[in-house]
Amino acid sequence: MPKLKTHRGAAKRFRKTGSGKIVRGHAFARHILTTKTTKRKRKLDQDTIISAADQRRVARMIPYM
């Protein structure tokens, strides 16, 4: 069986936790931050688990992470 290639774009966006869950960062946290509340910006800075609908697809893209 040949080795699988890691999708480099996905590797930069997702990572696996110790228990095997896949986490991602939030969007809308890079610029135009003056109009967003401090609470909202703080929440956007935290990582979150990807949705169940995307789980299998993303897992295939990052097989060795």
Side-chain angles (χ1 to χ4, degrees):
M1 196 66 194
K3 286 192 263 185
L4 300 172
K5 283 196 175 183
T6 298
H7 188 290
R8 298 315 296 164
K12 294 168 188 175
R13 289 170 172 83
F14 305 104
R15 63 185 174 78
K16 282 185 185 167
T17 62
S19 60
K21 295 174 185 164
I22 301 172
V23 293
R24 64 170 176 85
H26 282 98
F28 305 107
R30 292 289 176 262
H31 62 131
I32 318 175
L33 297 174
T34 52
T35 58
K36 295 168 188 160
T37 64
T38 306
K39 179 182 176 180
R40 182 175 166 193
K41 288 184 281 192
R42 196 165 54 240
K43 293 278 189 185
L44 290 173
D45 195 39
Q46 297 170 357
D47 289 343
T48 186
I49 298 167
I50 64 170
S51 70
D54 296 324
Q55 196 84 34
R56 281 181 59 231
R57 182 172 43 173
V58 175
R60 278 200 304 262
M61 288 195 278
I62 52 171
Y64 304 112
M65 293 183 75

